[in-house]
Amino acid sequence: MIKLIKPYISFDEVEDEFKEIFESGWFTKGRYVQAFREKIASYTGAKYAQLTTSATTALTMALKLYDVKCGDEVIVSDFSFPATCNVVEEVGATPIFADVSLDTFNMLPDELEKKITKKTKAVIFVDALGSPEGIDEIKEICKKHNLPLIEDGACAIGSSLDGIKCGNISDVTCFSFHPRKLLTTGEGGAITYNSDEYNEFFDIKLNHGAVVENGKFEFIDYGYNFRLPELQAVMGIKQFEKLDEIVKSRNEIRDEYIKGLEPLGFVPQKVSDRVVYNVQSLVFKVPNGVNRDELIAKLRESGIETTLGTYCLSGTKYYKRKYNNVQKNAQFLEQNTITFPCYDGVDVEYVIDKVKRGI
């Protein structure tokens, strides 16, 4: 089976550090966690980085930073994984779905403008499939309306816009290190930002609400345990050493796919020259008249794993039933996009040949 993605990490790379951690018995809040935080901040250009158990918990903490609660509204990109709006629902606020571009798959500025109300507390922009295309326009709108911009960069580690890395564009950026991501720690996430005030908030909230006073813990607030363990931090550090090479390689593979699939009518996600795209997920719109689900099934029979691009959040059963406000473009993209395998060693010619036979 040609899998959708393979991790860029092996046990051999981490074996020595894992042995050291087991021998020391220091599994959490150790030097590797600190080193990983520093690596993320240094790479993205952000002043600070915090680690979390997932992008979902990172997004939850971002909402708590801005005191988003019942009665508030948060505008979210509608083409994403449901975690993007689940966190809004979890804190008691209302997700307001903003439709996306059929070309870039990212939030449309006009959609954002028309959905801002007095209840709007924050905006969550999703780097669709890893691309921050258009986030600068969204940032300007947020600035005009004095709204915090939370970047759901779950897929975007290694991407940049105009030379600025994702992680240093928005007020707060939330990353994922899930197994389908370029940089994986099994599960895990991170938050990056530049504010000293934000850092004080996260230091306390991510440490059970504790600070150290006179050599002992004082719990001055309530907080959480969303810690990433030392073992997982080691995995992350090792992959950072080759992240830019991974991004370069994935773009070369993307070019191969585009060369073979565009003549068949497949349309790639639009990414301008302003963007360095990490190709987190290699997604195309299928040709007119092609049944995407049937194609996925045929490719699976040929030993090739593919899947849909991602989800129309407003069209999922829960959110459609509750809010009944399905966004047209996002729904079209959910129904008409396909994700192809993309990693070093994937047989692109074989995949394209099977696609030709399947359409």
Side-chain angles (χ1 to χ4, degrees), residues 251-355:
N251 274 280
E252 291 169 354
I253 296 166
R254 180 176 185 261
D255 289 343
E256 285 187 62
Y257 271 106
I258 291 174
K259 183 178 179 181
L261 291 177
E262 275 193 329
L264 303 178
F266 288 82
V267 180
Q269 179 183 9
K270 183 178 179 180
V271 181
S272 72
D273 292 340
R274 298 174 61 201
V275 171
V276 171
Y277 179 34
N278 68 1
V279 198
Q280 163 57 51
S281 294
L282 180 57
V283 175
F284 288 76
K285 289 181 283 187
V286 299
N288 292 333
V290 170
N291 184 304
R292 191 274 315 278
D293 292 341
E294 289 182 2
L295 177 58
I296 287 174
K298 289 177 181 177
L299 291 173
R300 178 167 287 278
E301 290 173 1
S302 298
I304 301 168
E305 182 184 14
T306 57
T307 188
L308 81 173
T310 192
Y311 298 92
C312 168
L313 303 180
S314 61
T316 57
K317 185 174 287 188
Y318 174 82
Y319 290 105
K320 183 178 181 181
R321 183 176 66 240
K322 185 168 183 178
Y323 299 109
N324 192 28
N325 188 24
V326 179
Q327 302 300 299
K328 180 176 67 174
N329 290 355
Q331 184 176 52
F332 175 86
L333 291 173
E334 177 182 327
Q335 295 170 347
N336 293 278
T337 52
I338 184 170
T339 304
F340 288 104
C342 184
Y343 48 84
D344 289 345
V346 68
D347 191 338
V348 177
E349 287 188 11
Y350 177 81
V351 174
I352 292 172
D353 178 65
K354 294 303 180 182
V355 169

Side-chain angles (χ1 to χ4, degrees), residues 102-117:
L102 287 171
D103 298 319
T104 67
F105 308 166
N106 280 339
M107 184 187 289
L108 289 165
D110 290 347
E111 280 286 305
L112 173 58
E113 280 275 16
K114 74 183 184 183
K115 293 188 174 180
I116 294 172
T117 71

